[in-house]
Amino acid sequence: MNNTAMTFVTRLTLQSGDRAALDGIVSDIKSTAERKGAALKGPHSHPPRKISVPQLCRLHADDDRHFDSWEYTVFTRELEIHGHDNLARNIASQNFPDSVHIEAEVEQIHGAGRGN
């Protein structure tokens, strides 16, 4: 019989143009994980990304006028929850403000076991 220990790592990636809202959500996740005794890595901050979106103001296909580009900054934070699958699932399924986007990636880790 093969007894192999398995655990799950849930990677949460949160992004927002509103840094205060993002950091508030990350702080809430950290405090929830600490209260539940979950192993948490992060938050890891990525350099802010500046996004520039051109805005055309044409009514006709031959009109190449445009407004100034719309520019905004996207802030990203990553966290990892090791084990505590229910906690990770509950966090990932919360209703976050529209200004905060979250992605969850779950990886199953196979621990070393003994084969009989």
Side-chain angles (χ1 to χ4, degrees):
M1 177 172 217
N2 189 1
N3 292 331
T4 304
M6 286 186 272
T7 188
F8 293 91
V9 175
T10 305
R11 264 183 216 88
L12 301 174
T13 302
L14 296 98
Q15 295 182 317
S16 181
D18 182 347
R19 189 169 75 186
L22 179 66
D23 289 341
I25 298 287
V26 168
S27 179
D28 290 347
I29 292 171
K30 273 183 66 172
S31 64
T32 300
E34 288 170 1
R35 274 196 321 272
K36 300 289 186 178
L40 180 75
K41 290 186 179 180
H44 305 291
S45 298
H46 293 259
R49 280 190 321 150
K50 301 271 187 198
I51 307 293
S52 179
V53 180
Q55 301 186 89
L56 302 176
C57 62
R58 61 182 168 172
L59 296 174
H60 303 286
D62 60 348
D63 185 352
D64 61 357
R65 293 179 298 155
H66 62 277
F67 296 109
D68 289 338
S69 292
W70 175 43
E71 296 182 357
Y72 62 99
T73 303
V74 175
F75 301 93
T76 303
R77 306 288 183 268
E78 284 188 8
L79 300 130
E80 286 185 4
I81 300 171
H82 292 255
H84 287 269
D85 308 336
N86 288 334
L87 172 66
R89 191 175 307 112
N90 289 340
I91 289 172
S93 66
Q94 287 179 9
N95 287 325
F96 293 98
D98 289 340
S99 63
V100 177
H101 174 75
I102 182 169
E103 290 182 14
E105 178 184 327
V106 179
E107 181 180 354
Q108 188 175 16
I109 307 291
H110 298 276
R114 281 193 278 193
N116 289 3

